[in-house]
């Protein structure tokens, strides 16, 4: 079985690509929760609770999440990329 360099790089970097994707999505959700002063709950993964000072002051954000579930989600997203890179015919 011969591998091209591009396929090998994609297979090795697929966990990094998936981790960056998960991080960006979670950061965007944190921004939304903060700006809208609302609660965003993704079961088992993370809960963002954004609040706004009633006097027109600042905003706060409370984050409660699980690193274990975030790692599992990253692995689930990385698996198809790795499988396609390794097993898709040329």
């Amino acid at each position: 079985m011969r591998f091209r360099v591009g396929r090998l790089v994609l297979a090795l970097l697929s966990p990094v690509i998936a981790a960056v994707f998960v991080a960006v999505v979670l950061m965007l959700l944190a921004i939304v929760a903060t700006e809208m002063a609302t609660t965003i709950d993704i079961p088992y993964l993370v809960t963002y609770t954004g609040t706004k000072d009633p006097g027109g002051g600042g905003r706060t954000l409370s984050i409660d999440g699980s690193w274990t579930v975030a790692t599992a989600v990253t692995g689930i997203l990385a698996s198809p990329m790795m499988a396609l890179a390794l097993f898709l015919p040329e």
Side-chain angles (χ1 to χ4, degrees), residues 11-23:
L12 292 175
L13 291 180
S14 61
V16 175
I17 295 167
V20 169
F21 180 76
V22 169

Side-chain angles (χ1 to χ4, degrees), residues 5 9-11 19-20 34 41 48-49 51 53 55-56 61 69-70 72 75 77 79 85 88 90:
V5 175
V9 169
L10 180 61
V20 169
T34 304
D41 183 31
Y48 296 110
T49 306
T51 57
D53 186 23
L61 178 67
V69 177
L77 288 177
S79 297
L88 195 66
E90 291 187 29

Side-chain angles (χ1 to χ4, degrees), residues 25 27 31-32 34 41 44 52 70 74 80 82 90:
V25 169
M27 285 187 268
I31 291 170
V32 170
T34 304
D41 183 31
Y44 305 111
K52 185 187 287 186
T74 301
M82 190 176 294
E90 291 187 29

Side-chain angles (χ1 to χ4, degrees), residues 22 44-46 65-76:
V22 169
Y44 305 111
L45 181 60
V46 69
S66 170
W67 285 103
T68 306
V69 177
T71 304
V73 168
T74 301
I76 290 169

